[in-house]
Amino acid sequence: QVQLVESGGGLVHAGGSLRLSCAASGRTFSDHAMGWFRQAPGKEREFVAAITRTGVITRYADSVKGRFSISRDNAKNTVYLQMDSLKPEDTAVYYCAGTRVIATTAPNYDYWGQGTQVTVSS
């Protein structure tokens, strides 16, 4: 079973940048597609980005296209979410998740991190 540990969350000003990291334990990281989701207070969890096992194909929510970039380093068992041009509406708890096949909906994911808070001030 894959264990996911997230880091990199914090407080930034609007227009700033932040990079989230998600480190996976085990030797099967490269067998999983990975995704990032976020959930703001009082709102549903929403899809942010996903990447296939090899990193060749990526998917993004319309709200973050052009601003966020997902990547992975299988040698380091780590997936990243580079967030640029951050907006206050990006404020949320961000979750890293793993799935056998790339997907854009939460029920398809089998493994989840604990979440890391991202706060963007205006």
Side-chain angles (χ1 to χ4, degrees), residues 1-121:
Q1 185 169 316
V2 177
Q3 299 273 337
L4 305 176
V5 180
E6 300 155 328
S7 62
L11 174 65
V12 297
H13 295 292
S17 298
L18 202 62
R19 188 173 81 157
L20 305 183
S21 298
C22 176
S25 64
R27 300 180 179 180
T28 61
F29 174 75
S30 61
D31 293 335
H32 292 80
M34 302 296 296
W36 287 94
F37 291 78
R38 67 186 183 186
Q39 187 167 22
K43 296 185 178 180
E44 298 290 329
R45 187 184 303 175
E46 66 174 346
F47 168 76
V48 176
I51 188 168
T52 52
R53 297 176 182 181
T54 61
V56 174
I57 301 173
T58 57
R59 296 283 185 270
Y60 297 95
D62 289 342
S63 60
V64 306
K65 285 182 179 178
R67 300 189 299 118
F68 290 11
S69 179
I70 187 171
S71 62
R72 68 189 297 162
D73 186 340
N74 287 349
K76 296 182 178 180
N77 282 4
T78 303
V79 62
Y80 306 94
L81 183 67
Q82 177 67 45
M83 304 183 292
D84 298 323
S85 301
L86 283 163
K87 305 175 181 179
E89 52 262 44
D90 294 319
T91 296
V93 176
Y94 283 70
Y95 298 91
C96 175
T99 178
R100 292 171 57 190
V101 180
I102 190 168
T104 58
T105 57
N108 290 284
Y109 286 79
D110 302 309
Y111 308 104
W112 294 85
Q114 80 288 346
T116 184
Q117 177 70 47
V118 172
T119 302
V120 184
S121 62

